[in-house]
Amino acid sequence: MSTYQKNKLSVNNIYKSFGDISVIDDVSLELKENEFVSLLGPSGSGKSTIFNIIAGLIKPDKGKVYIEDMDFTGRSGRVSYMYQKDLLLPWKKIIDNAALPLVIKGTKKKEAREMVKGYFKIFGLEGFEYKYPFQLSGGMRQRAALMRTYMFSKDIILLDEPFGGLDAITKRRMQYWLLDVLSNLNASIIFITHDIDEAIFLSDRVYILSDRPARVKTEIKIDLPRPRKNQVITTPRFNEIKKDIINIL
Ligand SMILES: Nc1ncnc2c1ncn2[C@@H]1O[C@H](COP(=O)(O)OP(=O)(O)O)[C@@H](O)[C@H]1O
Ligand SMILES: [Mg+2]
């Protein structure tokens, strides 16, 4: 997450209205290779809509989405996308939940299982391959959902408030865990949150969004060194950044 290179993704001047309600008003973003970027903004500001546009599920009224310099505006199937409240299928074993994106893309079930097996250790789920979702704790289910998301497309991953439903302690553990996992993978991440501490702890950069319609108010570079330990959240630098963000929000 520190060796920046080319742009993996760029969102150029997108606009979107639903009926006569403007939801996105001239938003531009970029994501570099191996970068972790957060979109921080209040509920209802248009964050998930931005993701739907990046994922190609809805078309912007104006503006473009480029992935590795190719125009992907309105085209789906390129990036991994974990929806807000993304759930595992309760009737499928964890291994088959994880393999689902590959099966959807046409890989045979047996082969897909083989392809995902090696990731259980990285995602902290070794030994749980043949369990069902109800047999896992909340944090483990979230890890499994993240693993499934990763399987779809390993380089660009959109995560929409993935830890929103977890208790504060589990949430903190999951954030720490996520950074650890990512240090072993080669992925560029955009992460939606309305939690200031979470955005600072995880990110290389944070885009601060306005109330609806979403506009980028400012972009903040998080210069806290990596790897980040949990204690980073009590350092003076962390609190300076937090103060800056609170003043902008
Ligand atoms: N398909 C849609 N049709 C009409 N309104 C929508 C649609 N999707 C989102 N909205 C509206 O757009 C606004 C932004 O929604 P959303 O992007 O989900 O915000 P956030 O993720 O920041 O909470 C909300 O007021 C929501 O009601
Ligand atoms: Mg949302």
Side-chain angles (χ1 to χ4, degrees):
M1 272 169 289
S2 50
T3 48
Y4 296 168
Q5 290 154 30
K6 57 190 181 231
N7 259 6
K8 284 301 277 187
L9 179 124
S10 70
V11 171
N12 294 0
N13 307 99
I14 55 167
Y15 292 77
K16 182 73 194 173
S17 297
F18 293 111
D20 50 16
I21 297 171
S22 168
V23 175
I24 298 172
D25 182 24
D26 195 15
V27 166
S28 295
L29 311 163
E30 58 182 47
L31 176 68
K32 302 217 167 65
E33 194 161 7
N34 280 315
E35 201 181 17
F36 194 119
V37 164
S38 288
L39 307 184
L40 177 66
S43 301
S45 58
K47 301 183 298 299
S48 295
T49 304
I50 294 173
F51 267 14
N52 287 332
I53 290 173
I54 293 174
L57 302 177
I58 61 177
K59 263 196 164 153
D61 299 331
K62 263 203 308 191
K64 296 280 184 192
V65 175
Y66 292 97
I67 299 175
E68 292 176 326
D69 298 328
M70 276 175 56
D71 187 351
F72 268 83
T73 318
R75 287 169 63 189
S76 61
R78 171 61 182 84
V79 303
S80 283
Y81 183 7
M82 184 165 152
Y83 300 87
Q84 217 168 338
K85 306 202 177 76
D86 206 356
L87 297 174
L88 299 168
L89 302 176
W91 60 88
K92 281 189 184 291
K93 296 184 174 85
I94 300 301
I95 191 163
D96 293 322
N97 267 286
L100 194 61
L102 302 172
V103 172
I104 289 171
K105 284 182 169 180
T107 308
K108 293 225 163 36
K109 179 175 161 178
K110 198 172 163 218
E111 203 179 316
R113 278 185 166 190
E114 286 308 313
M115 288 162 77
V116 300
K117 260 183 190 162
Y119 290 97
F120 273 76
K121 191 167 160 54
I122 296 174
F123 281 82
L125 292 165
E126 210 176 17
F128 291 86
E129 290 82 348
Y130 298 94
K131 303 280 188 214
Y132 286 92
F134 78 89
Q135 296 173 294
L136 272 57
S137 68
M140 292 177 89
R141 278 200 293 272
Q142 216 54 11
R143 293 209 291 267
L146 280 158
M147 180 166 67
R148 179 180 62 186
T149 304
Y150 175 74
M151 291 306 155
F152 185 81
S153 169
K154 298 190 169 72
D155 64 336
I156 302 175
I157 305 176
L158 313 180
L159 302 174
D160 193 347
E161 300 191 26
F163 307 143
L166 300 173
D167 66 83
I169 296 167
T170 307
K171 184 176 184 176
R172 188 155 301 292
R173 285 184 186 147
M174 289 294 294
Q175 293 162 354
Y176 190 69
W177 169 84
L178 180 63
L179 291 186
D180 190 43
V181 170
L182 290 174
S183 69
N184 294 312
L185 304 172
N186 203 352
S188 312
I189 313 288
I190 311 184
F191 189 99
I192 287 179
T193 182
H194 52 249
D195 177 332
I196 301 173
D197 287 31
E198 178 168 68
I200 301 171
F201 180 69
L202 294 174
S203 310
D204 297 307
R205 276 187 306 123
V206 178
Y207 287 101
I208 300 182
L209 303 178
S210 65
D211 286 308
R212 197 186 73 204
R215 294 193 186 97
V216 176
K217 282 188 165 180
T218 191
E219 180 195 323
I220 295 199
K221 206 168 160 9
I222 311 296
D223 53 10
L224 300 167
R226 295 186 189 271
R228 292 179 190 163
K229 298 265 174 266
N230 275 320
Q231 295 85 318
V232 76
I233 64 166
T234 60
T235 60
R237 184 64 195 134
F238 189 99
N239 282 302
E240 259 172 49
I241 298 169
K242 189 170 174 179
K243 211 185 283 175
D244 287 346
I245 292 179
I246 289 169
N247 283 329
I248 296 159
L249 271 172

